[in-house]
Amino acid sequence: MKKLADIYINIPVKTIVHSYTYIIPEQFSFLQAGSRVVVPFGARKMEGFVVKIYPMDEENSDLLKEIVDIIDTESYFTTKIMQTARFMAQFYLCSLGETLRLFIPGKNSIKIRQIYIVKDKNAEISNEEKAVYEYIKANPECDIKQLQAIFKEDAEIIIKSLQKKNIIDSDYAYKNRGKNKYKTYIKINSTVVTTELLAAMTRKKVQKKALEFLGDEKFHSIDELKNNGFSSTIVKALIENNYAVAEEKQIFRDSYDMVRPQELMDIELTDEQKNVMQQISPYIEQGLTKMFLLHGVTGSGKTQIYIEAAVKVLAQGKQALILVPEIVLTGQLVVSLKKVFADDVVVIHSRLTVNERNDAFMRIRTNNVKIIIGARSAIFAPFFNLGLIVMDEEHDASYKQDESPRYHTRDIAVKMAEIYSSVLILGSATPSIESYFAAQNNEYQLLEMPHRIDNKPLPQIRCIDMREELHFGNRHILSRPLAALIEETLQQKQQIIIMLNRRGFSTFVMCRSCGLVMKCPQCGLPLVYHRQNYLQCHHCDIRLPVPDVCPDCQSRYIKFFGSGTEKLEQELTETFPNARTIRLDRDTTGKKMAHQEILQSFKAGRYDILLGTQMVAKGHDIPNVTAVGIISADASLNMPDFRAAERCFGLITQTAGRAGRGDVKGKVIIQSYNPEHYAVLCGIKQDYAAFYKQELYLRKELFYPPYAKLIKLTVQDKVEQSALDKALQLKEKFRKTFKDFSRYQIIGPAPSIIANFRGIYRFNLLVKTVSLADVNAFLRAEKIDIDKAVKIDINPLNTM
DNA sequence: ATTAGCTACGAT
DNA sequence: TCGTAGCTAATT
């Protein structure tokens, strides 16, 4: 009897939330849930994911179409992946198709294109259409791109005309996106090549030599033979004479292959580290689900904990996933981990090619690799048996995906720790308020490492009130004390890091005659001036020329205001002409490895001063850095966002933590316009507990996380008023459904930070609730989950 | 995301 | 009255 399959279509569209049912044809009767298939969908063919298989009910089967092809012979999505994807679809209010596609490299397994075929082979064709007709006849799988390349703009018109006359028809062709890479290996055929045979080989000298080389009966690659002086002709002869057998083996592309394992040093753990490991180990050994929050100050040796935990997991024969916020931070970790785990390490991040990613996933799926390092997308790898998830810098905003589905890696990691029965370690020097709160409430077990390794002191921090600097007539970016600290550090041949969290030269451009601020024509945000003489929108990245005169009043009095890293760089080179300065921000790290190279050469001592955006604050360990300057940690305090203080405190603590990692005590200077703000005060004292207490108090007062859960709803429409009206209606419905103001609140509608982007107007509603599930159900009941005019962001990082 | 199908308006 | 652009609804 035939079977049916419920299938989700691989389409990232929120209006399609349910599965579609197809007939499984006889030849594919082996299909299982979790397989990827090709199905007809509307007029097209699409990739689909089988989620359920059941016997066919004869009644309405004639309405159903058949699966046309399969992509996998065995199930691609494991049961555990299915569970994770189901959780995500439920939690983030999107379709299972949308979440499942995250688990395949490149989000599509096949590439589908429309092709044209000749239907009527003997048709009478007019002269102007003849060439196209003949081309399609001669090239059975040609698509619109090929035809356009030859017949230019005529192609489309003629195709339409031919289709209308029923002379040609369209169909869909598809091919696998990933290509496996193979290499030929050969092995001596010992049943044929006996010692007697070798002894009798007098004529084929080179072949004899080659066979002696292959004496160990193991597989050797053709490359290896070539490198040892045996040409491909010899290899061919060996195989033809049946002296050797050949085999194709899949090889895995690995862009980190050049990072070779170094000699392993035995590292003695500190008492703090030992204590932490004692708490973690039992859960790993017994394979239990357990969440830890590892709160360790900068330089306390959290990485060593990750390594030790991974060693323990490997001993259990399981895999360990180590997540870092950004690709660039993988570099250092890869080196540390390769020291210990050699080729058992694989790296995954979004800049890998689809093929590299495919290979990495294959190695993980087949348990060929045990340690997986990666940025947030690595959580979607097909783990064989996952025993440990580490999330380093768990507070970091890059763990949140900014486009649909807007997941937070931490939410998924917590769920996966349950599903895989594994240990989760969230590590940070400045944990997110939510995570620390969860630890206080025993949802996570708190592990504290308050001391630096070897009891190195935390840096000494001084705060400079920039308002006073201005009173003294200092209009520079650098305060006098910071300039003095730089001078002193340079003289001692030590290194300096300076952080200014804004790239570009000036932060806004204004006409001094009429006050017009140059804004992005697409999204309306102020444009930033860059020294290579262009204006750039830091939201949508478009570049515009600098106007000579004001577009409004024609005045030539256009001035640049505010300071970015480019201006800071200029000031530093002017003030310290002998210092070697290097800048690190998104503009200097365009190429794939540039970030790594800049840090490497700074670490190697080829530069004295490293300046840049928050990139300079993250994760690296450079012993000769003894001084750190923070120019604008408090700039974010002026933003109307409830997480502004948390971000400011984190930035100060993280950046200051770069200083004094070697033998000399570090010195840090913070320049501030809000020196009395608690985020700055606690940052200076490096006092997380005090900051947490103060922040928690405010969060409770204002009903923000961790006391409330947030949902941001963005209503968008081409007509401003329609968007606003719709938002107001939604707000009204919410108010009617949730009357308990102490438990359910809705704020807004407020224009989005990019209120008008490409002619679409946006308004935000912010829901604050004690129960995400309740509001979730409400949004489903109101069909907001399938309304393409409303974007839903569960646990948004910013509220604007 | 695509596309088939329908409505409304303009040229013939 | 036909043709086409623009919008909507449906995709098993």
Side-chain angles (χ1 to χ4, degrees):
Chain A
M1 188 171 66
K2 277 190 182 175
K3 287 182 284 185
L4 298 181
D6 283 351
I7 289 172
Y8 276 88
I9 306 298
N10 183 355
I11 293 186
V13 172
K14 73 180 287 194
T15 48
I16 300 174
V17 285
H18 58 277
S19 61
Y20 291 83
T21 308
Y22 289 86
I23 297 167
I24 302 177
E26 211 64 62
Q27 72 264 34
F28 302 140
S29 54
F30 54 84
L31 269 181
Q32 296 166 330
S35 303
R36 299 171 299 181
V37 292
V38 182
V39 289
F41 191 68
R44 296 177 293 164
K45 288 197 180 68
M46 300 249 65
E47 177 177 2
F49 309 131
V50 178
V51 297
K52 195 178 157 193
I53 289 175
Y54 48 97
M56 187 157 92
D57 175 358
E58 297 297 330
E59 276 169 40
N60 49 10
S61 56
D62 50 335
L63 297 168
L64 303 177
K65 293 184 183 171
E66 286 196 344
I67 292 170
V68 296
D69 205 354
I70 56 166
I71 299 170
D72 308 300
T73 45
E74 45 195 82
S75 166
Y76 182 84
F77 302 112
T78 62
T79 324
K80 289 185 164 103
I81 286 180
M82 282 290 195
Q83 273 177 273
T84 312
R86 282 216 167 83
F87 159 76
M88 287 181 67
Q90 163 72 31
F91 192 81
Y92 293 110
L93 289 141
C94 58
S95 113
L96 191 55
E98 255 186 294
T99 56
L100 278 173
R101 70 199 301 272
L102 298 170
F103 291 83
I104 46 183
K107 303 206 181 141
N108 287 298
S109 323
I110 49 172
K111 213 175 167 161
I112 303 171
R113 67 202 166 95
Q114 191 172 29
I115 56 164
Y116 298 99
I117 43 169
V118 169
K119 214 175 174 184
D120 185 349
K121 286 188 177 157
N122 308 307
E124 291 286 317
I125 315 289
S126 66
N127 277 338
E128 57 266 27
E129 294 179 349
K130 192 125 194 155
V132 175
Y133 172 78
E134 292 297 338
Y135 184 87
I136 296 172
K137 207 170 172 181
N139 301 276
E141 293 230 320
C142 68
D143 58 33
I144 189 78
K145 268 189 197 158
Q146 290 167 18
L147 291 164
Q148 273 171 343
I150 301 163
F151 304 103
K152 308 296 172 214
E153 55 270 14
D154 291 345
E156 229 170 316
I157 304 158
I158 297 172
I159 286 164
K160 274 214 177 117
S161 158
L162 288 170
Q163 270 184 309
K164 211 166 192 183
K165 293 184 210 154
N166 235 340
I167 296 166
I168 62 164
D169 204 354
S170 78
D171 197 359
Y172 292 82
Y174 48 88
K175 59 171 185 226
N176 273 15
R177 281 190 78 202
K179 273 210 178 75
N180 292 342
K181 205 170 164 182
Y182 293 94
K183 255 188 186 172
T184 311
Y185 285 74
I186 65 166
K187 188 175 88 164
I188 195 163
N189 187 351
S190 46
T191 49
V192 174
V193 184
T194 54
T195 35
E196 294 83 53
L197 184 93
L198 272 176
M201 277 174 88
T202 49
R203 290 199 55 221
K204 304 165 180 169
K205 274 187 189 153
V206 189
Q207 285 188 45
K208 187 178 175 184
K209 255 191 164 171
L211 288 171
E212 280 162 1
F213 179 80
L214 293 170
D216 61 358
E217 304 200 0
K218 281 187 187 140
F219 276 105
H220 294 266
S221 74
I222 303 288
D223 289 346
E224 191 187 343
L225 282 146
K226 261 191 193 149
N227 291 338
N228 284 282
F230 304 111
S231 70
S232 50
T233 344
I234 294 301
V235 173
K236 216 169 153 191
L238 289 178
I239 296 164
E240 269 171 17
N241 291 327
N242 207 15
Y243 295 154
V245 284
E247 194 173 281
E248 296 275 299
K249 286 192 182 180
Q250 188 180 352
I251 60 151
F252 300 109
R253 285 153 283 214
D254 183 356
S255 51
Y256 285 79
D257 223 16
M258 63 288 187
V259 183
R260 294 319 307 164
Q262 299 169 9
E263 86 286 9
L264 179 57
M265 287 183 295
D266 237 342
I267 293 167
E268 174 73 12
L269 294 188
T270 65
D271 288 346
E272 258 174 30
Q273 288 173 327
K274 278 183 194 155
N275 176 272
V276 162
M277 281 315 296
Q278 263 173 20
Q279 298 186 63
I280 297 173
S281 299
Y283 292 95
I284 293 178
E285 279 154 14
Q286 291 165 46
L288 299 173
T289 294
K290 181 77 181 173
M291 285 63 148
F292 292 100
L293 175 62
L294 175 59
H295 177 214
V297 296
T298 52
S300 61
K302 291 187 287 290
T303 307
Q304 195 56 36
I305 296 294
Y306 307 153
I307 293 173
E308 297 286 326
V311 169
K312 286 258 171 0
V313 167
L314 250 67
Q316 300 293 313
K318 293 187 182 172
Q319 293 172 315
L321 168 66
I322 299 172
L323 295 164
V324 290
E326 275 172 71
I327 313 159
V328 290
L329 297 178
T330 54
Q332 290 220 338
L333 200 62
V334 174
V335 175
S336 317
L337 287 163
K338 280 218 169 181
K339 276 186 200 170
V340 184
F341 302 108
D343 289 336
D344 255 347
V345 179
V346 74
V347 185
I348 295 176
H349 53 69
S350 52
R351 285 212 205 165
L352 295 182
T353 66
V354 173
N355 277 327
E356 283 174 329
R357 187 175 273 259
N358 257 319
D359 287 359
F361 273 30
M362 181 61 90
R363 293 183 69 191
I364 297 166
R365 162 190 297 284
T366 55
N367 205 19
N368 169 284
V369 73
K370 301 293 197 300
I371 307 286
I372 300 101
I373 306 171
R376 62 168 182 262
S377 63
I379 196 128
F380 301 118
F383 303 104
F384 182 81
N385 54 1
L386 186 62
L388 172 72
I389 307 172
V390 170
M391 257 182 96
D392 191 26
E393 313 287 351
E394 69 88 31
H395 62 277
D396 198 288
S398 357
Y399 282 122
K400 171 85 176 178
Q401 167 96 43
D402 229 7
E403 51 198 44
S404 178
R406 298 179 169 71
Y407 63 85
H408 196 296
T409 314
R410 198 197 300 122
D411 293 335
I412 305 171
V414 168
K415 188 68 190 179
M416 279 174 57
E418 278 171 27
I419 291 172
Y420 286 84
S421 190
S422 53
V423 167
L424 170 66
I425 302 175
L426 305 172
S428 178
T430 53
S432 62
I433 298 289
E434 284 103 317
S435 292
Y436 205 76
F437 186 76
Q440 296 291 333
N441 289 307
N442 294 322
E443 282 172 53
Y444 306 154
Q445 185 168 329
L446 185 61
L447 307 165
E448 296 269 11
M449 295 207 297
H451 299 101
R452 284 191 156 182
I453 289 176
D454 301 333
N455 266 320
K456 278 179 189 148
L458 282 169
Q460 168 207 326
I461 305 182
R462 218 180 125 191
C463 183
I464 306 302
D465 188 339
M466 288 308 280
R467 295 168 302 189
E468 281 176 24
E469 281 293 305
L470 201 62
H471 278 201
F472 276 100
N474 181 8
R475 305 180 125 258
H476 291 102
I477 304 174
L478 299 173
S479 62
R480 291 161 305 160
L482 180 54
L485 176 64
I486 295 171
E487 185 65 54
E488 181 194 321
T489 311
L490 286 173
Q491 270 172 19
Q492 286 162 357
K493 303 261 177 267
Q494 288 157 356
Q495 289 172 298
I496 302 136
I497 291 178
I498 300 177
M499 201 269 305
L500 171 56
N501 203 13
R502 273 192 189 151
R503 62 195 179 90
F505 191 83
S506 318
T507 46
F508 67 102
V509 183
M510 192 173 81
C511 167
R512 292 194 101 175
S513 288
C514 68
L516 178 83
V517 175
M518 308 299 154
K519 290 194 173 153
C520 170
Q522 275 195 85
C523 64
L525 292 184
L527 291 163
V528 173
Y529 173 68
H530 283 249
R531 210 140 61 118
Q532 284 113 324
N533 212 35
Y534 59 85
L535 300 179
Q536 190 183 30
C537 170
H538 283 187
H539 181 258
C540 46
D541 275 350
I542 63 163
R543 288 180 183 193
L544 297 163
V546 184
D548 292 329
V549 293
C550 170
D552 253 22
C553 71
Q554 292 4 283
S555 155
R556 297 195 153 268
Y557 220 49
I558 293 173
K559 277 275 187 180
F560 305 129
F561 293 87
S563 324
T565 45
E566 286 181 3
K567 196 191 239 174
L568 173 65
E569 185 180 34
Q570 190 183 52
E571 193 174 307
L572 280 166
T573 40
E574 278 166 14
T575 319
F576 307 102
N578 296 322
R580 296 160 304 168
T581 306
I582 188 158
R583 176 159 62 91
L584 181 71
D585 57 31
R586 198 137 64 80
D587 298 312
T588 62
T589 55
K591 285 166 283 161
K592 201 171 179 176
M593 285 305 216
H595 188 285
Q596 208 60 19
E597 281 161 24
I598 291 172
L599 279 177
Q600 278 306 321
S601 41
F602 180 66
K603 191 171 183 174
R606 289 195 280 279
Y607 297 93
D608 306 305
I609 303 174
L610 172 72
L611 73 122
T613 54
Q614 58 187 343
M615 278 184 186
V616 301
K618 287 188 177 178
H620 41 79
D621 189 353
I622 300 167
N624 199 34
V625 171
T626 59
V628 163
I630 302 172
I631 305 292
S632 64
D634 57 356
S636 62
L637 287 177
N638 302 319
M639 302 250 233
D641 190 275
F642 78 98
R643 263 185 254 262
E646 185 178 347
R647 267 198 292 271
C648 171
F649 174 80
L651 202 50
I652 291 177
T653 311
Q654 298 282 346
T655 316
R658 298 309 116 214
R661 288 178 157 248
D663 296 324
V664 184
K665 180 170 168 139
K667 284 183 184 165
V668 178
I669 285 183
I670 298 171
Q671 298 186 174
S672 175
Y673 288 94
N674 306 283
E676 56 289 305
H677 194 283
Y678 68 95
V680 179
L681 290 173
C682 295
I684 293 165
K685 282 188 274 176
Q686 306 262 291
D687 190 345
Y688 182 84
F691 174 75
Y692 173 75
K693 201 178 156 197
Q694 176 70 30
E695 184 68 16
L696 201 64
Y697 168 76
L698 289 171
R699 300 279 182 98
K700 190 168 192 174
E701 287 291 293
L702 299 167
F703 194 45
Y704 270 113
Y707 295 100
K709 304 273 183 215
L710 301 184
I711 299 173
K712 181 166 79 176
L713 303 167
T714 306
V715 183
Q716 45 188 33
D717 200 292
K718 275 183 287 185
V719 184
E720 190 169 12
Q721 193 60 43
S722 311
L724 185 59
D725 289 346
K726 184 156 188 174
L728 286 165
Q729 273 170 31
L730 187 54
K731 182 180 184 174
E732 207 38 51
K733 275 182 192 153
F734 181 91
R735 285 251 166 97
K736 277 195 182 126
T737 314
F738 300 104
K739 294 198 168 111
D740 183 353
F741 187 72
S742 67
R743 290 159 56 82
Y744 303 94
Q745 297 177 14
I746 186 160
I747 302 173
S752 162
I753 186 150
I754 14 152
N756 176 10
F757 183 56
R758 292 185 191 174
I760 310 259
Y761 290 85
R762 286 148 227 273
F763 287 91
N764 286 336
L765 289 167
L766 187 68
V767 172
K768 302 201 237 168
T769 170
V770 289
S771 160
L772 276 181
D774 292 353
V775 181
N776 238 321
F778 162 80
L779 291 172
R780 273 183 219 278
E782 294 294 330
K783 301 216 187 303
I784 301 300
D785 58 329
I786 53 168
D787 186 341
K788 55 185 167 191
V790 185
K791 283 197 284 184
I792 305 173
D793 191 347
I794 308 281
N795 295 338
L797 280 196
N798 50 45
T799 56
M800 297 178 296

